Amino acid sequence: MTDAKVMLVTGATGSVGSAVAREAVRQGWTVVAHGRSDERLASLIGELQDFGRAAKVAGDVGGEGDAAPIVEAATQAFGRIDAVVDCVSTGPRAGKLTGPFKDTTPAQYGAFFDLSAAWFQRLAHAAYPHVAAQGGTLIAFISDAGKFAAANQTIVGAARAATIGFVRNLAVEAARDGIRAHCIAPSYVLESRSAAAMGSERLVKASKRAGLGLPTAADIAPVTVFLCGDGAARITGQVISVNGGLNA
Ligand SMILES: NC(=O)c1ccc[n+]([C@@H]2O[C@H](COP(=O)([O-])OP(=O)(O)OC[C@H]3O[C@@H](n4cnc5c(N)ncnc54)[C@H](OP(=O)(O)O)[C@@H]3O)[C@@H](O)[C@H]2O)c1
């Protein structure tokens, strides 16, 4: 077993996940990076290994039985898991899930909820004994839509609020096993894949409202790694927005 703390980052090939993995390795963590594309994972691991220890685990997410093999492979890589940071994205899905509620696609609600909320519950369940053994941390990336009401976000907001409810309840219960749990909620993430898909008009409008400036993924990574470390040992159950002052 390694002496260094080990962080499993799921969705590590994405904008936020890769930034968290880079920051964690930079701060001395050993990282297990999860993704579904071998090519993207190999490229990330090559980069991480220039600074520290890292391994990869590939796997599709969605539906029963997805989390346990990923957690088991991650545990086997270095013999322990001290933190799990879930950065798997919720979309896009088939049909319409943002926009006016009356125009959304009910047939897609279940699949969307599974990836946006139930997946993290399965991941937390599979990781629980490993994280408890280290007195570690579970972090779910959600979105401000779960915290702040806005038009056109009914389905996304509902799924993200479900994770807030799960994490806050879990935090109180799992503290008895030494586990901390948090949500981190971005609103818009500059230079991310989602931001690129969103179009510049929305981003320009949001940027004007965010007095501190909208964050990049690199701005979000340090608080994430901090929450997993010893400096945050007495903090749990928090839902932390990183949005440059867009909402408070
Ligand atoms: N970016 C934003 O503006 C923004 C705003 C608010 C909230 N968030 C939230 O922040 C988190 C991270 O976002 P991000 O911008 O980093 O997303 P991203 O760049 O799209 O990355 C998503 C990650 O999830 C993986 N993934 C997606 N579906 C998967 C599946 N079915 N099975 C396995 N892996 C899957 C992707 O793999 P591939 O690399 O193979 O695609 C990638 O590693 C998400 O929860 C997102 O909803 C983001």
Side-chain angles (χ1 to χ4, degrees), residues 203-232:
L203 279 183
V204 169
K205 273 191 191 161
S207 295
K208 284 185 183 152
R209 287 168 43 219
L212 298 172
L214 292 175
T216 62
D219 294 320
I220 297 173
V223 68
T224 311
V225 177
F226 167 74
L227 287 172
C228 296
D230 294 340

PDB file of all heavy atoms in Angstrom, residues 203-232:
ATOM      1  N   LEU A 203     -22.658  32.929 -22.259  1.00  0.00           N
ATOM      2  CA  LEU A 203     -21.460  33.121 -21.420  1.00  0.00           C
ATOM      3  C   LEU A 203     -21.156  34.596 -21.212  1.00  0.00           C
ATOM      4  O   LEU A 203     -20.780  35.006 -20.111  1.00  0.00           O
ATOM      5  CB  LEU A 203     -20.247  32.457 -22.082  1.00  0.00           C
ATOM      6  CG  LEU A 203     -20.108  30.964 -21.882  1.00  0.00           C
ATOM      7  CD1 LEU A 203     -18.838  30.480 -22.532  1.00  0.00           C
ATOM      8  CD2 LEU A 203     -20.097  30.610 -20.394  1.00  0.00           C
ATOM      9  N   VAL A 204     -21.330  35.385 -22.251  1.00  0.00           N
ATOM     10  CA  VAL A 204     -21.064  36.823 -22.129  1.00  0.00           C
ATOM     11  C   VAL A 204     -22.033  37.425 -21.117  1.00  0.00           C
ATOM     12  O   VAL A 204     -21.637  38.184 -20.229  1.00  0.00           O
ATOM     13  CB  VAL A 204     -21.183  37.524 -23.506  1.00  0.00           C
ATOM     14  CG1 VAL A 204     -21.186  39.039 -23.357  1.00  0.00           C
ATOM     15  CG2 VAL A 204     -20.037  37.093 -24.414  1.00  0.00           C
ATOM     16  N   LYS A 205     -23.311  37.044 -21.212  1.00  0.00           N
ATOM     17  CA  LYS A 205     -24.321  37.554 -20.264  1.00  0.00           C
ATOM     18  C   LYS A 205     -23.961  37.155 -18.833  1.00  0.00           C
ATOM     19  O   LYS A 205     -24.004  37.967 -17.915  1.00  0.00           O
ATOM     20  CB  LYS A 205     -25.696  36.962 -20.603  1.00  0.00           C
ATOM     21  CG  LYS A 205     -26.464  37.764 -21.626  1.00  0.00           C
ATOM     22  CD  LYS A 205     -27.899  37.242 -21.682  1.00  0.00           C
ATOM     23  CE  LYS A 205     -28.627  37.828 -22.869  1.00  0.00           C
ATOM     24  NZ  LYS A 205     -29.816  37.047 -23.230  1.00  0.00           N
ATOM     25  N   ALA A 206     -23.606  35.877 -18.647  1.00  0.00           N
ATOM     26  CA  ALA A 206     -23.265  35.388 -17.300  1.00  0.00           C
ATOM     27  C   ALA A 206     -22.001  36.070 -16.788  1.00  0.00           C
ATOM     28  O   ALA A 206     -21.915  36.431 -15.608  1.00  0.00           O
ATOM     29  CB  ALA A 206     -23.085  33.874 -17.328  1.00  0.00           C
ATOM     30  N   SER A 207     -21.040  36.258 -17.666  1.00  0.00           N
ATOM     31  CA  SER A 207     -19.771  36.889 -17.259  1.00  0.00           C
ATOM     32  C   SER A 207     -20.022  38.291 -16.713  1.00  0.00           C
ATOM     33  O   SER A 207     -19.374  38.709 -15.747  1.00  0.00           O
ATOM     34  CB  SER A 207     -18.802  36.991 -18.437  1.00  0.00           C
ATOM     35  OG  SER A 207     -18.431  35.718 -18.852  1.00  0.00           O
ATOM     36  N   LYS A 208     -20.976  38.993 -17.316  1.00  0.00           N
ATOM     37  CA  LYS A 208     -21.261  40.361 -16.858  1.00  0.00           C
ATOM     38  C   LYS A 208     -21.849  40.359 -15.450  1.00  0.00           C
ATOM     39  O   LYS A 208     -21.680  41.308 -14.697  1.00  0.00           O
ATOM     40  CB  LYS A 208     -22.255  41.031 -17.820  1.00  0.00           C
ATOM     41  CG  LYS A 208     -21.597  41.479 -19.120  1.00  0.00           C
ATOM     42  CD  LYS A 208     -22.581  42.232 -19.989  1.00  0.00           C
ATOM     43  CE  LYS A 208     -21.925  42.593 -21.312  1.00  0.00           C
ATOM     44  NZ  LYS A 208     -22.884  42.699 -22.408  1.00  0.00           N
ATOM     45  N   ARG A 209     -22.571  39.283 -15.097  1.00  0.00           N
ATOM     46  CA  ARG A 209     -23.206  39.214 -13.770  1.00  0.00           C
ATOM     47  C   ARG A 209     -22.255  38.690 -12.698  1.00  0.00           C
ATOM     48  O   ARG A 209     -22.523  38.820 -11.515  1.00  0.00           O
ATOM     49  CB  ARG A 209     -24.448  38.323 -13.846  1.00  0.00           C
ATOM     50  CG  ARG A 209     -25.609  39.006 -14.574  1.00  0.00           C
ATOM     51  CD  ARG A 209     -26.735  38.011 -14.903  1.00  0.00           C
ATOM     52  NE  ARG A 209     -27.046  37.112 -13.816  1.00  0.00           N
ATOM     53  CZ  ARG A 209     -27.343  35.807 -13.975  1.00  0.00           C
ATOM     54  NH1 ARG A 209     -27.373  35.271 -15.183  1.00  0.00           N
ATOM     55  NH2 ARG A 209     -27.617  35.062 -12.939  1.00  0.00           N
ATOM     56  N   ALA A 210     -21.183  38.050 -13.100  1.00  0.00           N
ATOM     57  CA  ALA A 210     -20.255  37.448 -12.121  1.00  0.00           C
ATOM     58  C   ALA A 210     -19.144  38.448 -11.815  1.00  0.00           C
ATOM     59  O   ALA A 210     -18.177  38.572 -12.573  1.00  0.00           O
ATOM     60  CB  ALA A 210     -19.680  36.149 -12.691  1.00  0.00           C
ATOM     61  N   GLY A 211     -19.293  39.154 -10.693  1.00  0.00           N
ATOM     62  CA  GLY A 211     -18.373  40.249 -10.378  1.00  0.00           C
ATOM     63  C   GLY A 211     -16.916  39.834 -10.281  1.00  0.00           C
ATOM     64  O   GLY A 211     -16.018  40.616 -10.587  1.00  0.00           O
ATOM     65  N   LEU A 212     -16.678  38.604  -9.835  1.00  0.00           N
ATOM     66  CA  LEU A 212     -15.288  38.142  -9.693  1.00  0.00           C
ATOM     67  C   LEU A 212     -14.776  37.490 -10.970  1.00  0.00           C
ATOM     68  O   LEU A 212     -13.623  37.068 -11.039  1.00  0.00           O
ATOM     69  CB  LEU A 212     -15.193  37.122  -8.546  1.00  0.00           C
ATOM     70  CG  LEU A 212     -15.559  37.634  -7.153  1.00  0.00           C
ATOM     71  CD1 LEU A 212     -15.603  36.480  -6.158  1.00  0.00           C
ATOM     72  CD2 LEU A 212     -14.538  38.670  -6.694  1.00  0.00           C
ATOM     73  N   GLY A 213     -15.662  37.377 -11.950  1.00  0.00           N
ATOM     74  CA  GLY A 213     -15.298  36.667 -13.179  1.00  0.00           C
ATOM     75  C   GLY A 213     -15.649  35.198 -13.049  1.00  0.00           C
ATOM     76  O   GLY A 213     -15.474  34.596 -11.986  1.00  0.00           O
ATOM     77  N   LEU A 214     -16.181  34.629 -14.114  1.00  0.00           N
ATOM     78  CA  LEU A 214     -16.525  33.196 -14.081  1.00  0.00           C
ATOM     79  C   LEU A 214     -15.248  32.366 -13.931  1.00  0.00           C
ATOM     80  O   LEU A 214     -14.193  32.755 -14.433  1.00  0.00           O
ATOM     81  CB  LEU A 214     -17.250  32.805 -15.376  1.00  0.00           C
ATOM     82  CG  LEU A 214     -18.643  33.405 -15.559  1.00  0.00           C
ATOM     83  CD1 LEU A 214     -19.194  33.042 -16.945  1.00  0.00           C
ATOM     84  CD2 LEU A 214     -19.604  32.915 -14.473  1.00  0.00           C
ATOM     85  N   PRO A 215     -15.339  31.235 -13.247  1.00  0.00           N
ATOM     86  CA  PRO A 215     -14.143  30.409 -13.052  1.00  0.00           C
ATOM     87  C   PRO A 215     -13.810  29.549 -14.269  1.00  0.00           C
ATOM     88  O   PRO A 215     -14.697  29.189 -15.047  1.00  0.00           O
ATOM     89  CB  PRO A 215     -14.544  29.507 -11.884  1.00  0.00           C
ATOM     90  CG  PRO A 215     -16.031  29.361 -12.028  1.00  0.00           C
ATOM     91  CD  PRO A 215     -16.526  30.668 -12.580  1.00  0.00           C
ATOM     92  N   THR A 216     -12.549  29.203 -14.380  1.00  0.00           N
ATOM     93  CA  THR A 216     -12.143  28.099 -15.257  1.00  0.00           C
ATOM     94  C   THR A 216     -12.099  26.842 -14.379  1.00  0.00           C
ATOM     95  O   THR A 216     -12.210  26.942 -13.143  1.00  0.00           O
ATOM     96  CB  THR A 216     -10.736  28.338 -15.838  1.00  0.00           C
ATOM     97  OG1 THR A 216      -9.816  28.395 -14.734  1.00  0.00           O
ATOM     98  CG2 THR A 216     -10.663  29.639 -16.637  1.00  0.00           C
ATOM     99  N   ALA A 217     -11.882  25.695 -14.996  1.00  0.00           N
ATOM    100  CA  ALA A 217     -11.754  24.458 -14.206  1.00  0.00           C
ATOM    101  C   ALA A 217     -10.557  24.550 -13.261  1.00  0.00           C
ATOM    102  O   ALA A 217     -10.597  24.051 -12.129  1.00  0.00           O
ATOM    103  CB  ALA A 217     -11.621  23.265 -15.141  1.00  0.00           C
ATOM    104  N   ALA A 218      -9.512  25.224 -13.698  1.00  0.00           N
ATOM    105  CA  ALA A 218      -8.316  25.363 -12.847  1.00  0.00           C
ATOM    106  C   ALA A 218      -8.616  26.181 -11.593  1.00  0.00           C
ATOM    107  O   ALA A 218      -7.953  26.012 -10.565  1.00  0.00           O
ATOM    108  CB  ALA A 218      -7.186  26.009 -13.644  1.00  0.00           C
ATOM    109  N   ASP A 219      -9.628  27.069 -11.664  1.00  0.00           N
ATOM    110  CA  ASP A 219     -10.019  27.841 -10.476  1.00  0.00           C
ATOM    111  C   ASP A 219     -10.807  26.975  -9.480  1.00  0.00           C
ATOM    112  O   ASP A 219     -10.890  27.306  -8.295  1.00  0.00           O
ATOM    113  CB  ASP A 219     -10.914  29.029 -10.872  1.00  0.00           C
ATOM    114  CG  ASP A 219     -10.169  30.054 -11.702  1.00  0.00           C
ATOM    115  OD1 ASP A 219      -8.999  30.324 -11.396  1.00  0.00           O
ATOM    116  OD2 ASP A 219     -10.765  30.583 -12.655  1.00  0.00           O
ATOM    117  N   ILE A 220     -11.431  25.936  -9.978  1.00  0.00           N
ATOM    118  CA  ILE A 220     -12.285  25.086  -9.137  1.00  0.00           C
ATOM    119  C   ILE A 220     -11.468  23.976  -8.452  1.00  0.00           C
ATOM    120  O   ILE A 220     -11.806  23.502  -7.370  1.00  0.00           O
ATOM    121  CB  ILE A 220     -13.407  24.470 -10.004  1.00  0.00           C
ATOM    122  CG1 ILE A 220     -14.293  25.590 -10.570  1.00  0.00           C
ATOM    123  CG2 ILE A 220     -14.249  23.481  -9.233  1.00  0.00           C
ATOM    124  CD1 ILE A 220     -15.319  25.103 -11.579  1.00  0.00           C
ATOM    125  N   ALA A 221     -10.377  23.584  -9.087  1.00  0.00           N
ATOM    126  CA  ALA A 221      -9.609  22.434  -8.600  1.00  0.00           C
ATOM    127  C   ALA A 221      -9.028  22.628  -7.186  1.00  0.00           C
ATOM    128  O   ALA A 221      -9.124  21.716  -6.354  1.00  0.00           O
ATOM    129  CB  ALA A 221      -8.497  22.098  -9.597  1.00  0.00           C
ATOM    130  N   PRO A 222      -8.446  23.797  -6.852  1.00  0.00           N
ATOM    131  CA  PRO A 222      -7.801  23.898  -5.524  1.00  0.00           C
ATOM    132  C   PRO A 222      -8.759  23.691  -4.347  1.00  0.00           C
ATOM    133  O   PRO A 222      -8.411  23.025  -3.378  1.00  0.00           O
ATOM    134  CB  PRO A 222      -7.226  25.323  -5.525  1.00  0.00           C
ATOM    135  CG  PRO A 222      -7.024  25.649  -6.967  1.00  0.00           C
ATOM    136  CD  PRO A 222      -8.158  24.982  -7.691  1.00  0.00           C
ATOM    137  N   VAL A 223      -9.981  24.253  -4.421  1.00  0.00           N
ATOM    138  CA  VAL A 223     -10.914  24.076  -3.295  1.00  0.00           C
ATOM    139  C   VAL A 223     -11.340  22.610  -3.204  1.00  0.00           C
ATOM    140  O   VAL A 223     -11.572  22.077  -2.106  1.00  0.00           O
ATOM    141  CB  VAL A 223     -12.131  25.024  -3.412  1.00  0.00           C
ATOM    142  CG1 VAL A 223     -13.038  24.686  -4.574  1.00  0.00           C
ATOM    143  CG2 VAL A 223     -12.952  25.011  -2.124  1.00  0.00           C
ATOM    144  N   THR A 224     -11.394  21.956  -4.330  1.00  0.00           N
ATOM    145  CA  THR A 224     -11.767  20.536  -4.346  1.00  0.00           C
ATOM    146  C   THR A 224     -10.716  19.704  -3.609  1.00  0.00           C
ATOM    147  O   THR A 224     -11.041  18.886  -2.736  1.00  0.00           O
ATOM    148  CB  THR A 224     -11.893  20.047  -5.807  1.00  0.00           C
ATOM    149  OG1 THR A 224     -12.704  20.956  -6.539  1.00  0.00           O
ATOM    150  CG2 THR A 224     -12.465  18.655  -5.870  1.00  0.00           C
ATOM    151  N   VAL A 225      -9.469  19.953  -3.950  1.00  0.00           N
ATOM    152  CA  VAL A 225      -8.383  19.185  -3.327  1.00  0.00           C
ATOM    153  C   VAL A 225      -8.280  19.552  -1.838  1.00  0.00           C
ATOM    154  O   VAL A 225      -8.063  18.686  -0.986  1.00  0.00           O
ATOM    155  CB  VAL A 225      -7.046  19.416  -4.075  1.00  0.00           C
ATOM    156  CG1 VAL A 225      -5.894  18.682  -3.389  1.00  0.00           C
ATOM    157  CG2 VAL A 225      -7.175  18.951  -5.535  1.00  0.00           C
ATOM    158  N   PHE A 226      -8.494  20.830  -1.535  1.00  0.00           N
ATOM    159  CA  PHE A 226      -8.463  21.255  -0.127  1.00  0.00           C
ATOM    160  C   PHE A 226      -9.480  20.464   0.705  1.00  0.00           C
ATOM    161  O   PHE A 226      -9.182  19.967   1.793  1.00  0.00           O
ATOM    162  CB  PHE A 226      -8.757  22.762  -0.004  1.00  0.00           C
ATOM    163  CG  PHE A 226      -9.040  23.194   1.410  1.00  0.00           C
ATOM    164  CD1 PHE A 226      -8.012  23.297   2.346  1.00  0.00           C
ATOM    165  CD2 PHE A 226     -10.341  23.446   1.830  1.00  0.00           C
ATOM    166  CE1 PHE A 226      -8.279  23.668   3.660  1.00  0.00           C
ATOM    167  CE2 PHE A 226     -10.614  23.814   3.139  1.00  0.00           C
ATOM    168  CZ  PHE A 226      -9.582  23.920   4.063  1.00  0.00           C
ATOM    169  N   LEU A 227     -10.710  20.352   0.176  1.00  0.00           N
ATOM    170  CA  LEU A 227     -11.769  19.665   0.935  1.00  0.00           C
ATOM    171  C   LEU A 227     -11.427  18.200   1.188  1.00  0.00           C
ATOM    172  O   LEU A 227     -11.942  17.584   2.121  1.00  0.00           O
ATOM    173  CB  LEU A 227     -13.104  19.774   0.197  1.00  0.00           C
ATOM    174  CG  LEU A 227     -13.755  21.158   0.236  1.00  0.00           C
ATOM    175  CD1 LEU A 227     -14.968  21.197  -0.691  1.00  0.00           C
ATOM    176  CD2 LEU A 227     -14.169  21.546   1.659  1.00  0.00           C
ATOM    177  N   CYS A 228     -10.571  17.634   0.356  1.00  0.00           N
ATOM    178  CA  CYS A 228     -10.187  16.225   0.527  1.00  0.00           C
ATOM    179  C   CYS A 228      -9.012  16.069   1.496  1.00  0.00           C
ATOM    180  O   CYS A 228      -8.678  14.953   1.888  1.00  0.00           O
ATOM    181  CB  CYS A 228      -9.792  15.621  -0.820  1.00  0.00           C
ATOM    182  SG  CYS A 228     -11.156  15.555  -1.990  1.00  0.00           S
ATOM    183  N   GLY A 229      -8.386  17.170   1.866  1.00  0.00           N
ATOM    184  CA  GLY A 229      -7.150  17.081   2.644  1.00  0.00           C
ATOM    185  C   GLY A 229      -7.352  17.234   4.141  1.00  0.00           C
ATOM    186  O   GLY A 229      -8.468  17.485   4.635  1.00  0.00           O
ATOM    187  N   ASP A 230      -6.254  17.133   4.884  1.00  0.00           N
ATOM    188  CA  ASP A 230      -6.304  17.191   6.350  1.00  0.00           C
ATOM    189  C   ASP A 230      -6.767  18.553   6.859  1.00  0.00           C
ATOM    190  O   ASP A 230      -7.336  18.655   7.951  1.00  0.00           O
ATOM    191  CB  ASP A 230      -4.919  16.864   6.936  1.00  0.00           C
ATOM    192  CG  ASP A 230      -4.535  15.419   6.643  1.00  0.00           C
ATOM    193  OD1 ASP A 230      -5.445  14.604   6.358  1.00  0.00           O
ATOM    194  OD2 ASP A 230      -3.323  15.102   6.682  1.00  0.00           O
ATOM    195  N   GLY A 231      -6.525  19.605   6.084  1.00  0.00           N
ATOM    196  CA  GLY A 231      -6.946  20.945   6.502  1.00  0.00           C
ATOM    197  C   GLY A 231      -8.451  21.100   6.589  1.00  0.00           C
ATOM    198  O   GLY A 231      -8.954  22.049   7.193  1.00  0.00           O
ATOM    199  N   ALA A 232      -9.176  20.168   5.994  1.00  0.00           N
ATOM    200  CA  ALA A 232     -10.651  20.229   6.001  1.00  0.00           C
ATOM    201  C   ALA A 232     -11.241  19.100   6.832  1.00  0.00           C
ATOM    202  O   ALA A 232     -12.397  18.704   6.640  1.00  0.00           O
ATOM    203  CB  ALA A 232     -11.175  20.173   4.562  1.00  0.00           C
TER     204      ALA A 232
END
